[in-house]
Amino acid sequence: MSGTSGEVWLGVDLGTGGVRALAVTPSGEIVGRGERPLTSHRSGPRHEQDPHEWWSAAAAAIADALADLDPHRVAGVAVDGTSGTVLVVGADGAPLTPAVMYDDARATAQRDRVNEAGATTWERLGYQRMQTSWALPKLLRLLEEHPGARGGLLAHQVDVVNRHLVGGPVATDLSNALKTGADLESGTWPSDVHEALGLPASLFPELVRPGARLGVVGAEAAARCGLVAGTPVLAGATDGTAAQLASGATEPGSWNVVLGTTMVFKGVTRDLLHDPQGVVYSHRAPDGSWLPGGASSTGAGVLVHEQESGGLAGWSLDDLGAAIDVREPARTVVYPLVGEGERFPFVAPDARGLTLGDRTGERPPERFAALLQGVAFVERLALDGLDRLGADLSGRHVSTGGGSANPAWTQLRADVTGRDLEVPAAGWSAAGSAAGMAVLAASSTGPLTDRAREMVPAARTHHHDPERGAVFAPAYRRLVTELADRGWLPPESAEHALARAGAGVAS
């Protein structure tokens, strides 16, 4: 890869296991890439990372992405990060607390305080209540354990890297600030909630929309990562929002499903959705539209788990794919949850994976088929739930993430959900959130939908087969009924899903 002419946009993705940087042309050609690992520290509900490692890994990944490029070609850079990952830093940017990751689950007591203090605001913003893993409860917990940090400044994961890039304090984007309680309607912090929680206003940085200009690359960062000093740095977003931008699903009614270890939904609506159950929450798009969605705890990760410890032990996924017995539906019905607790398409902290039916004599390919169908049923249940809330589902449905690389599984999901599924070209789909940040950075020169249309490659389409889809309806109804009987799925959600399945209505 090389080149000395024509602008490129740099997208940087701060994931859980690593940092990825991509240099992308306005036509969507990836002309530079770099990647570096990150280390997590986990123990029970605890999940922390070293924020110093975020910058060192990002700088190295950026340098690799630019290794064969003239850095003067870079017209702008944007960074995404994991949603709900926070710490407190001092005036010099040095950490005053540990960096608590997106799924750290220790702030249970603080969550209750946050929901009591902000009940009216959270209801108005559509998600009703915060969850334990959200950033504001974790911030309270950090300040209780590190009282000296009250004089510092809240920082999300992306803020740490952006601060290094520009060489000083930066505003935070509304996407990452959602789980910290930012009012996405007004674009401000809820000062009354902060006052009720005893949080000083000085703790919270300025808020801007994704895509806003934060500053320019400073001399120190330029020397470290190979960018040219003065290169614009644009406000980024969460990794889930970035993945949606990478999918090209940026117009109202369009949706992206990221099927990775877990399954993440994100769509575009003109109006804010309100979910009385607090399952769906909405980010704000750069153009002012809304990005509702949620993240399930289910997904392709169940396949790896069962390879290691369950019914697929000793089989590779390639062998399973080649040997799978075509059973439509499988003789067992599965809710493919690996750990404890579900968060979307319903919230149930006590939920566990379940299998309905007799597994006597079940062969690994049969188990494999049941798991694939189970993930498809979760996807359908999520779409039924969004329909219940009045979400616009009329646009394109795009599937990204590692699970989308399997054509047979993607076709199964299209048939079960009754939706045509588009899958971007393999190289672009694998690029993920970093590609979405390149699209966002490019939107500084024109409307986001135009930039996405120009940069995201054409996708292959899996057209759903209504007759094949109807075969799975009884199994889907059985699963929905079981989830409701166990008290995990609220009655109104179950009734809506069963009514649509019974009427033969696609999700």
Side-chain angles (χ1 to χ4, degrees):
M1 295 176 293
S2 63
T4 58
S5 63
E7 68 183 11
V8 297
W9 301 96
L10 188 67
V12 181
D13 168 43
L14 302 174
T16 306
V19 181
R20 175 179 291 174
L22 292 179
V24 186
T25 71
S27 63
E29 181 186 2
I30 298 173
V31 293
R33 59 178 80 222
E35 193 163 358
R36 285 291 190 275
L38 290 173
T39 304
S40 284
H41 306 282
R42 293 180 183 268
S43 177
R46 170 180 169 266
H47 183 191
E48 297 176 357
Q49 287 188 347
D50 179 358
H52 296 99
E53 191 179 359
W54 295 340
W55 169 237
S56 62
I62 292 171
D64 286 350
L66 300 178
D68 295 328
L69 292 173
D70 178 354
H72 291 88
R73 293 179 62 187
V74 179
V77 56
V79 183
D80 75 70
T82 53
S83 177
T85 296
V86 291
L87 71 159
V88 180
V89 300
D92 59 353
L96 298 178
T97 71
V100 184
M101 295 297 288
Y102 63 96
D103 58 349
D104 187 286
R106 290 175 288 173
T108 303
Q110 293 81 6
R111 174 205 62 200
D112 294 340
R113 288 178 54 203
V114 163
N115 285 331
E116 180 180 358
T120 301
T121 301
W122 313 152
E123 181 178 2
R124 177 172 54 79
L125 294 175
Y127 52 78
Q128 307 299 317
R129 64 190 69 86
M130 290 195 173
Q131 300 176 27
T132 303
S133 62
W134 283 33
L136 188 55
K138 287 188 285 194
L139 175 62
L140 276 184
R141 181 183 162 277
L142 286 173
L143 294 177
E144 290 171 5
E145 294 190 352
H146 305 273
R150 292 181 62 84
L153 187 69
L154 161 75
H156 303 92
Q157 188 178 32
V158 296
D159 302 332
V160 172
V161 170
N162 284 333
R163 180 169 185 147
H164 278 286
L165 283 171
V166 305
V170 292
T172 196
D173 67 89
L174 285 166
S175 179
N176 277 286
L178 181 153
K179 292 184 178 179
T180 324
D183 187 330
L184 302 194
E185 289 187 316
S186 65
T188 62
W189 292 108
S191 56
D192 56 336
V193 177
H194 291 168
E195 184 177 349
L197 294 171
L199 297 173
S202 59
L203 187 65
F204 297 89
E206 177 189 355
L207 289 169
V208 295
R209 282 189 181 180
R213 186 176 172 120
L214 296 177
V216 298
V217 173
E220 185 175 339
R224 179 77 178 271
C225 61
L227 286 163
V228 173
T231 301
V233 178
L234 294 314
T238 63
D239 52 356
T241 299
Q244 188 201 16
L245 299 181
S247 76
T250 58
E251 298 179 346
S254 298
W255 292 80
N256 175 225
V257 181
V258 184
L259 182 52
T261 302
T262 60
M263 187 159 48
V264 180
F265 282 73
K266 193 78 71 177
V268 185
T269 57
R270 298 187 187 281
D271 300 314
L272 175 64
L273 289 184
H274 288 81
D275 182 5
Q277 297 172 10
V279 176
V280 174
Y281 56 89
S282 297
H283 288 272
R284 200 76 187 264
D287 63 2
S289 61
W290 293 92
L291 307 175
S296 174
S297 297
T298 65
V302 69
L303 304 179
V304 176
H305 173 76
E306 294 236 359
Q307 274 184 297
E308 296 173 346
S309 59
L312 307 183
W315 286 67
S316 73
L317 295 184
D318 288 341
D319 289 341
L320 287 165
I324 186 172
D325 291 343
V326 179
R327 291 180 174 271
E328 298 183 346
R331 64 175 175 172
T332 59
V333 179
V334 176
Y335 195 92
L337 190 61
V338 173
E340 178 179 346
E342 181 58 292
R343 49 194 175 147
F344 181 80
F346 53 84
V347 174
D350 58 339
R352 306 285 194 283
L354 62 85
T355 298
L356 306 177
D358 184 7
R359 292 187 62 186
T360 303
E362 182 183 59
R363 298 174 60 247
E366 295 169 332
R367 180 63 174 173
F368 186 60
L371 292 169
L372 298 187
Q373 292 169 32
V375 172
F377 290 154
V378 176
E379 186 170 353
R380 172 162 184 156
L381 185 59
L383 291 169
D384 280 338
L386 290 165
D387 178 80
R388 184 183 64 83
L389 296 178
D392 181 359
L393 302 173
S394 63
R396 302 167 56 216
H397 285 240
V398 183
S399 181
T400 57
S404 301
N406 185 320
W409 195 6
T410 305
Q411 185 61 53
L412 169 70
R413 292 165 50 214
D415 294 336
V416 168
T417 62
R419 297 281 172 179
D420 292 347
L421 282 178
E422 301 179 25
V423 180
W428 183 266
S429 184
S433 296
M437 284 299 92
V439 173
L440 180 61
S443 73
S444 61
T445 64
L448 176 63
T449 53
D450 291 349
R451 298 292 84 84
R453 193 177 298 113
E454 295 163 356
M455 296 177 71
V456 179
R460 74 173 190 268
T461 301
H462 292 259
H463 298 281
H464 73 280
D465 180 347
E467 292 186 3
R468 187 174 183 232
V471 170
F472 297 99
Y476 177 65
R477 289 195 294 267
R478 183 182 182 190
L479 178 62
V480 170
T481 300
E482 180 69 23
L483 294 172
D485 288 346
R486 294 187 180 213
W488 299 342
L489 184 66
E492 57 271 28
S493 297
E495 291 170 7
H496 187 81
L498 291 172
R500 290 172 62 77
V505 179
S507 294

